[in-house]
Amino acid sequence: IELSKGITYLLQAWNLLALPMAELVLAGPIQPDIKPFLKQYAGSNVRLTGALSPREVVEQYHATNVSIHPSPNEGLGLVLLEAMACGVSVIATDRSGAEDCVTHGKDGLIIPARSANQLAEAIWWCFRHRQELPGMGKAARQKVEQRFTRAHYEERQIEVYRSLASQQVEQETPADSSRPVGA
């Protein structure tokens, strides 16, 4: 839980909504830079878990309706794929790598980064459409199974290596190979 993960936007959005009978769970170790914002924005409907074991992380995913990733600047966050693999739809920013794995409206929602208002709108949509979230979570799980397993990753890595190796061979091959070497 730190500033660089966009938690301040999430806390602001959560406060804007003041959803009845809803709880925001922030999982992970709390970094010192976020503590003033937690004091300012975290009310009784915000729960901090602290560091969790891998098993506890999975339990948290299974206990949630939607997983929110408000990062303003990140590569493909593994937490997106973890949530999706657990059958949980996600809300993520367009700066979190979500565009590589989330189909907006099908298995999650992608919103502009650094906007508490846009984040609040996405959370509000999920709150109002809770009956649709299990289907989105199922679609998220299917996408991970079809495109984001370790085997898929290994296949993509091997393809990158093959591509690089073929480029190297092309660069080493003389332009006119019909002429004898030294001629």
Side-chain angles (χ1 to χ4, degrees):
I1 311 299
E2 59 188 278
L3 286 176
S4 66
K5 298 294 184 180
I7 299 301
T8 56
Y9 303 106
L10 177 55
L11 290 168
Q12 290 169 5
W14 193 251
N15 273 341
L16 284 171
L17 292 168
L19 298 172
M21 305 298 292
E23 179 181 54
L24 175 64
V25 178
L26 299 176
I30 300 166
Q31 300 304 312
D33 63 356
I34 196 72
K35 288 182 180 182
F37 295 95
L38 290 171
K39 285 181 184 176
Q40 180 179 356
Y41 291 107
S44 62
N45 63 349
V46 176
R47 183 166 50 97
L48 305 169
T49 68
L52 299 174
S53 70
R55 180 185 199 134
E56 291 170 317
V57 170
V58 170
E59 289 171 2
Q60 285 296 320
Y61 283 131
H62 287 282
T64 191
N65 292 319
V66 64
S67 186
I68 305 169
H69 307 281
S71 182
N73 190 27
E74 189 169 340
L76 178 56
L78 183 58
V79 292
L80 291 172
L81 295 174
E82 287 175 349
M84 293 171 72
C86 288
V88 179
S89 61
V90 298
I91 298 173
T93 70
D94 58 358
R95 299 291 178 121
S96 67
E99 291 161 326
D100 291 334
C101 62
V102 176
T103 302
H104 183 80
K106 183 174 180 181
D107 46 36
L109 302 173
I110 301 174
I111 60 161
R114 296 181 177 90
S115 174
N117 289 331
Q118 293 280 339
L119 185 53
E121 286 180 27
I123 295 168
W124 178 237
W125 186 92
C126 290
F127 186 78
R128 289 188 340 265
H129 297 94
R130 283 174 280 195
Q131 71 282 359
E132 294 180 42
L133 296 177
M136 292 174 75
K138 184 176 179 181
R141 170 72 185 193
Q142 288 173 341
K143 182 179 279 182
V144 169
E145 289 174 350
Q146 293 169 356
R147 295 182 43 209
F148 294 101
T149 64
R150 182 176 298 272
H152 294 117
Y153 172 78
E154 290 169 355
E155 288 172 22
R156 285 191 291 272
Q157 287 299 109
I158 290 169
E159 186 55 39
V160 167
Y161 293 139
R162 284 186 180 136
S163 174
L164 292 172
S166 68
Q167 288 176 10
Q168 182 66 29
V169 169
E170 289 172 8
Q171 290 174 358
E172 292 175 358
T173 305
D176 184 1
S177 58
S178 62
R179 292 179 39 193
V181 175

